[in-house]
């Protein structure tokens, strides 16, 4: 195992951490279950690819545009959530994968099934990012995503989302403009996904419609559910686990879809709060262990 | 302060509220008495903007709010204690109270309202960090009332708080509305099945039957009314 290989795995893991943090706001906080998150990711990646190859914009110049595009598309795609019930939202987000995938595939502007290739590596003060540099760049964005998530989790917006996630009617009676905050959730979530998409496109150097299909949406949701819906630590940990484990255990790789699907189903049945979510077995255990440890240190002192 | 004229609420073909007109003045406590299914919850939901009325008008503090969204009504000074409390069980007591103050947000207003809530229901102060779902039935109703007070309402709509409470708690809880009128100058519209207890605390009342107002009068008049006596007071 070379360092370059580890850094590559690390970079992809970072990109998925941004995606799980993104989904955490939509599904973890606002309880809008999305089985179409790869579509938002794909829109970001395609926006970055097109801006770089057709308009010659640099990664940095394109990034604000990518975020703007994904935010606006997110708002637009979030509108159905105002009309349909939870169950139907799940179905319509599944549909999203196929709609967005088809648009990429059948419109020549998006490169058709040949995709878009030769996306340049970003530069920083004239120097192209190497493997190490890109790993650093990705984790700078992961850090940014974590910090903004922490910030957001302390705002009234998060509280509003938790409230209507539990009881929409009661939330309305509190004076919460539920429609507004649902759209916020879609907008913020899809802005994050846009950044993840841009990082992906410039790292891989090409984008194809099948990179952003339904199976990828399941991956992202499985990571978040595994780590713990509604928690930042869970989002980060889940992405790490499901990205790194299959790399370590090579034979699993061919069964990726099976693993993600099984993880999703098993977690929902046995530990819906995730491994590190609120009230989860491991989280409570680790708190207990920490407390034990502290007490041990305290009593051990002379 | 609140003027309802010819209000109708329907769910598909089911008429829940028909031609209801009523009013609530400043600093007034008013009851809407009605059996199960009479249309009390539908009426309050329409007042709060949670269901769209089929017809009629609602005006509150000289504004026609019939088509206003709920969040706007809360800003104008309406608040609801929903049927069954409908607290957020997975959130802490503290977050539930904060959510009540969603439209307030100013630190001072928040602290003042919290003090009011704790003075009425000291038990909530001890339970602040507890999940609201772990509260007892009575404590939940207290939280639901406390939460609604966090918005500094001018008119409080209360949907059957007495339901599911221990009998000896009912006068105490209903009594808090009199206190609130005294201390805060609040008005209260109290929907109740429990006519006996409700008519002890309110000034006036309406009797709702199959979605229609069939009787109106002062609390004393209603208590003495033969129909009310037999149908709602069990005398
Ligand atoms: N969401 C609903 N859908 C259909 N019918 C309803 C709904 N809510 C209430 N109803 C009907 O409307 C009538 C009035 O109900 P409600 O307002 O809940 O009365 P109350 O609160 O006085 O018990 C009842 O006949 C009830 O079955
Ligand atoms: Mg009712």
């Amino acid at each position: 195992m070379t360092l370059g290989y580890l850094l590559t795995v690390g970079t992809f893991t970072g990109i998925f951490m941004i995606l799980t943090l993104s989904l955490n706001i939509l599904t973890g906080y606002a309880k809008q279950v999305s089985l179409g998150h790869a579509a938002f990711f794909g829109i970001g990646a395609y926006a970055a690819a097109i801006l770089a190859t057709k308009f010659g914009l640099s990664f940095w110049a394109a990034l604000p545009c990518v975020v703007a595009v994904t935010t606006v598309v997110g708002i637009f795609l979030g509108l159905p959530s105002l009309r349909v019930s939870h169950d139907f939202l799940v179905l319509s987000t599944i549909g999203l994968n196929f709609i967005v995938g088809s648009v990429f595939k059948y419109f020549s502007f998006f490169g058709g099934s040949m995709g878009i290739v030769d996306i340049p590596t970003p530069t920083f003060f004239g120097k192209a990012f190497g493997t190490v540099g890109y790993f650093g760049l990705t984790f700078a964005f992961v850090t940014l995503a974590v910090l903004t998530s922490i910030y957001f989790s302390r705002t009234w917006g998060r509280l509003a989302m938790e409230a209507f996630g539990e009881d929409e009617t009661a939330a309305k009676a509190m004076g919460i403009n539920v429609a507004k905050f649902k759209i916020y959730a879609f907008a913020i979530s899809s802005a994050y996904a846009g950044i993840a998409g841009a990082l992906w496109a410039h790292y891989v150097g090409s984008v194809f419609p099948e990179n952003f299909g339904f199976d990828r949406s399941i991956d992202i949701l499985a990571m978040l559910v595994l780590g713990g819906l509604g928690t930042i630590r869970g989002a980060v940990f889940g992405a790490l686990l499901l990205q790194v484990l299959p790399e370590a255990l090579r034979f699993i790789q061919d069964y990726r879809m099976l693993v993600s699907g099984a993880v999703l189903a098993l977690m929902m049945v046995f530990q819906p709060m995730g491994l590190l979510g609120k009230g989860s077995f491991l989280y409570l255990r680790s708190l207990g262990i920490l407390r034990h440890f502290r007490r041990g240190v305290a009593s051990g002192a002379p | 302060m609140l003027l309802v004229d010819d209000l109708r609420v329907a769910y598909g073909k089911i008429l829940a509220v028909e031609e209801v007109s009523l009013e609530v003045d400043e600093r007034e406590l008013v009851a809407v008495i009605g059996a199960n299914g009479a249309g009390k919850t539908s009426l309050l939901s329409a007042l709060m903007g949670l269901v769209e009325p089929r017809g009629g008008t609602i005006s509150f503090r000289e504004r026609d709010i019939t088509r206003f969204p709920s969040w706007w009504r809360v800003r104008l000074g309406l608040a609801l204690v929903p049927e069954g409390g409908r607290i957020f069980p997975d959130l802490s007591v503290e977050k539930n109270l904060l959510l009540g103050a969603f439209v307030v947000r100013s630190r001072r207003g928040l602290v003042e309202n919290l003090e009011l809530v704790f003075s009425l229901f000291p038990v909530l102060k001890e339970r602040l960090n507890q999940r609201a779902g772990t509260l007892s039935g009575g404590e939940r109703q207290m939280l639901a009332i406390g939460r609604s007070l966090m918005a500094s309402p001018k008119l409080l709509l209360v949907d059957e708080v007495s339901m599911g409470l221990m009998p000896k708690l009912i006068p105490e809880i209903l009594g808090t509305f009199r206190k609130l009128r005294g201390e805060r100058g609040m008005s209260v519209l109290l929907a109740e099945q429990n006519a006996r207890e409700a008519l002890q605390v309110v000034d006036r009342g309406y009797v709702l039957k199959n979605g229609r107002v069939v009787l109106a009068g002062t609390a004393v008049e209603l208590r003495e009314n033969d129909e009310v006596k037999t149908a709602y007071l069990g005398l």
Side-chain angles (χ1 to χ4, degrees), chain B residues 11 14 16 35-42 83:
Chain B
Y11 307 97
I14 303 169
N36 210 352
K40 304 181 297 295
T41 300
S42 304
E83 184 170 359

Side-chain angles (χ1 to χ4, degrees), chain B residues 134-162:
Chain B
T134 63
L135 298 180
S136 72
E139 289 166 347
R140 279 176 190 228
Q141 288 291 22
M142 291 177 198
L143 178 57
I145 297 169
R147 186 181 65 175
S148 73
L149 295 176
M150 292 298 292
S152 315
K154 305 219 161 32
L155 170 61
L156 195 57
L157 309 172
V158 184
D159 199 351
E160 300 218 48
V161 268
S162 73

Side-chain angles (χ1 to χ4, degrees), chain A residues 156 162-163 166-167 174-175 177, chain B residues 71 86 88-90 95 98:
Chain A
W156 285 95
E162 280 187 302
E166 275 197 40
D167 186 337
M174 300 296 101
N177 186 343
Chain B
W71 55 268
R86 287 186 90 148
F88 302 106
D90 278 342
K95 279 192 177 175
L98 276 179

